[in-house]
Amino acid sequence: MARPLIAATNGLVATQAARPPAGRHPRIPIAATHALGLTLAAGCFHAPAYSPQRSVATWHDMQSTRPGSNTPAGSRDTPSPAADDALSADQAYALALANNPELAVAEAEAEVAAAGVGVAKQIENPTVRFTNFRVDDTAGGKTGFNLGLRAPIPRPGSVHARVKQARLAADSVHSETEAARRLLRSEIDRRYARLALLRADIDELTRAAALGDARRTQLRARLERQAATQVDLALADVDHAETLEQASRVRDELALTEAELTRLIGPGPPRTFRVDANTLGARDLPLDMTRLTEQALRARPELHRAQSRVSEAQAGVYLARSEVYPWLSWAQVNYYFGASSTPAAFGFGLALDVPLFSWNRGEIKAARALVRQREAEERASVSQVASEVRDALARVERANTRVQELEATLLPRLDEAARAAEAALAAGALDPLRAGEIEARRVAARRLHLAALHDRRDALIDLELALGGPLTR
């Protein structure tokens, strides 16, 4: 009876093999037959045919799907609103994180990059080699062949370097996803600021239309008394029509902004939006250039990505240099099966890669050049972030100066003129048309103030975008 045979060399274990009885051919195990059948079956892939109805069904599914569980932990504190509830900016952002298709693509790319770390950890499988089988020996009943187990041997540190390289690549893609989330938040905040401006502007235009209508009524009465001309009434009608046209245009812009917000949130039922009263309010925060620049350099995901790309390139240099040294590329343990085989019919083989003709200088040089390129990109990214912070801060300061000038000069002076007009009108010393003109100028000044507040809010959004996060004290 043949003894089981086991061979192990440097952690490589050969499959147990027994010497077949004399005069009998070795039979293929049933498990091997099943494995061969599974291999053949796995090779039969049939891609589904194109179907236009599939896109329609996908759209209907997206319209009815509730937000998933892929919302980051930072937004889970925001309660999920019902479909008919008006959304605040935070609620709209939480829904966009779950529903926005472009963000879903970026997150899927990050998952693919993260899965690449597991791929880099894998070591090549050993192979079973069937050699030295001769047909003429089979005719004489003297079948014999070598069965070997060959396993690759990775170079020292190469697996760790590849895993590190894949992890850095995954971090780089993850940073791009974080940048996409940050940009999505800024776009939503920008639309909400626009909604606040447009809704307040409609209110002011409604007041202006009411004042214009009152002016037309007064002019009609005076025209009947021959205290005004038809030209005065015609000009008042033109002013009133222009005000109504401006209100109609602002309503169109409001509908367009709401449509843009709906697109940012993603597929789903129609949405309505709730704008906070202090959306355009001032934020009394210290704006120090050095502190804000340091905050941006710590928080911006683009800089994380730039540093990851530098380290990834350095890992490439290590891998390129490791190819210079001689190394055993594989080791093989084999056993001879045949009529004359014995329990000691083992053998082994080694393959040594010797760099006689190529010392890999070109690849090493290219890898080092890539490191220098990534380092230059990192420095350029730092400079770009600092410039963005400087420009955004300058815009905030200019917008804030304009708001303060309006609040310190034009608005209070018009308020004083309106109070004086009201007193004079009550005493019968002021023409009512003149008082209406003063009130119309107050409406125009408040619209200028609203536009200045919106510019300042938009500048603050740009500053937060440059900082990579909200303003902190």
Side-chain angles (χ1 to χ4, degrees):
M1 181 176 178
R3 294 176 295 173
L5 303 175
I6 301 177
T9 306
N10 293 333
L12 302 175
V13 181
T15 306
Q16 292 187 6
R19 175 183 173 184
R24 295 181 60 184
H25 299 290
R27 292 180 294 180
I28 300 177
I30 296 178
T33 305
H34 291 171
L36 179 61
L38 291 174
T39 302
L40 294 176
C44 302
F45 171 73
H46 300 283
Y50 167 73
S51 172
Q53 191 61 27
R54 176 178 173 181
S55 299
V56 177
T58 301
W59 179 74
H60 283 295
D61 180 68
M62 294 172 67
Q63 291 295 109
S64 60
T65 301
R66 300 295 297 171
S69 59
N70 59 337
T71 303
S75 61
R76 291 174 186 167
D77 297 336
T78 303
S80 298
D84 55 349
D85 287 346
L87 302 177
S88 66
D90 291 337
Q91 291 172 331
Y93 178 58
L95 283 176
L97 288 177
N99 290 347
N100 185 273
E102 290 80 6
L103 182 59
V105 172
E107 291 174 345
E109 292 176 353
E111 291 179 2
V112 172
V117 178
V119 175
K121 291 180 180 179
Q122 294 177 350
I123 300 176
E124 294 184 27
N125 289 320
T127 58
V128 178
R129 301 175 61 85
F130 180 81
T131 58
N132 296 334
F133 180 83
R134 296 191 300 178
V135 178
D136 56 348
D137 290 342
T138 304
K142 299 180 180 179
T143 304
F145 60 88
N146 282 326
L147 188 66
L149 180 68
R150 174 178 293 187
I153 304 175
R155 291 177 176 269
S158 61
V159 175
H160 175 75
R162 288 189 178 91
V163 170
K164 187 66 175 179
Q165 192 176 40
R167 185 172 288 112
L168 291 167
D171 291 343
S172 176
V173 178
H174 179 72
S175 298
E176 294 178 358
T177 305
E178 290 297 324
R181 293 194 186 101
R182 179 174 56 88
L183 181 60
L184 179 61
R185 177 71 205 212
S186 69
E187 291 298 323
I188 289 176
D189 288 343
R190 208 180 299 276
R191 267 54 175 201
Y192 267 86
R194 185 71 176 166
L195 284 181
L197 168 67
L198 295 174
R199 291 181 179 180
D201 203 20
I202 288 176
D203 293 339
E204 295 297 337
L205 286 171
T206 302
R207 296 187 185 94
L211 289 172
D213 196 49
R215 178 180 176 81
R216 293 165 63 215
T217 301
Q218 293 171 359
L219 286 174
R220 287 194 190 98
R222 293 189 179 190
L223 184 61
E224 293 175 357
R225 300 193 307 268
Q226 296 183 352
T229 65
Q230 188 66 40
V231 175
D232 295 332
L233 181 58
L235 290 176
D237 289 339
V238 170
D239 292 339
H240 185 259
E242 289 178 345
T243 302
L244 294 179
E245 190 278 331
Q246 289 182 9
S248 177
R249 177 170 49 82
V250 172
R251 289 189 183 93
D252 289 342
E253 293 181 9
L254 180 64
L256 179 61
T257 304
E258 291 179 342
E260 292 174 351
L261 264 175
T262 301
R263 181 187 59 80
L264 289 173
I265 290 175
R271 300 287 183 180
T272 57
F273 306 100
R274 182 179 74 253
V275 179
D276 296 333
N278 60 347
T279 299
L280 300 180
R283 296 188 178 185
D284 187 15
L285 295 175
L287 301 179
D288 178 71
M289 172 72 73
T290 302
R291 184 184 62 83
L292 293 179
T293 302
E294 292 177 353
Q295 177 183 345
L297 294 176
R298 287 191 297 265
R300 285 285 289 270
E302 292 89 341
L303 299 180
H304 184 187
R305 175 176 179 268
Q307 293 182 16
S308 297
R309 286 164 64 88
V310 171
S311 300
E312 182 183 355
Q314 291 173 345
V317 173
Y318 176 86
L319 291 173
R321 291 182 59 188
S322 67
E323 297 292 332
V324 174
Y325 307 102
W327 185 250
L328 299 173
S329 59
W330 54 264
Q332 176 174 314
V333 177
N334 58 277
Y335 180 77
Y336 176 74
F337 286 86
S340 60
S341 62
T342 65
F346 276 104
F348 68 93
L350 299 173
L352 179 65
D353 291 340
V354 181
L356 293 179
F357 303 107
S358 174
W359 287 78
N360 213 27
R361 298 300 184 191
E363 186 174 352
I364 294 174
K365 185 177 180 180
R368 287 174 174 168
L370 182 60
V371 170
R372 292 192 294 271
Q373 175 187 340
R374 296 292 184 246
E375 290 174 345
E377 291 173 352
E378 180 187 3
R379 290 191 295 271
S381 298
V382 172
S383 177
Q384 178 67 24
V385 168
S387 298
E388 291 177 2
V389 173
R390 182 181 63 251
D391 296 342
L393 183 57
R395 184 190 171 194
V396 169
E397 292 174 346
R398 290 194 302 269
N400 193 51
T401 299
R402 175 165 173 76
V403 170
Q404 291 175 354
E405 288 176 350
L406 289 173
E407 293 175 348
T409 56
L410 182 59
L411 292 179
R413 291 176 185 178
L414 279 172
D415 291 340
E416 181 64 28
R419 287 191 295 269
E422 184 179 358
L425 187 62
L430 182 66
D431 186 353
L433 289 178
R434 184 61 175 167
E437 292 175 357
I438 294 175
E439 188 61 29
R441 293 183 67 175
R442 287 185 71 196
V443 170
R446 286 198 296 267
R447 293 187 65 200
L448 285 176
H449 183 236
L450 283 173
L453 289 175
H454 173 264
D455 289 343
R456 183 177 65 181
R457 177 63 183 134
D458 194 69
L460 285 171
I461 292 173
D462 278 344
L463 179 58
E464 291 179 343
L465 186 63
L467 294 179
L471 285 167
T472 57
R473 291 189 180 276

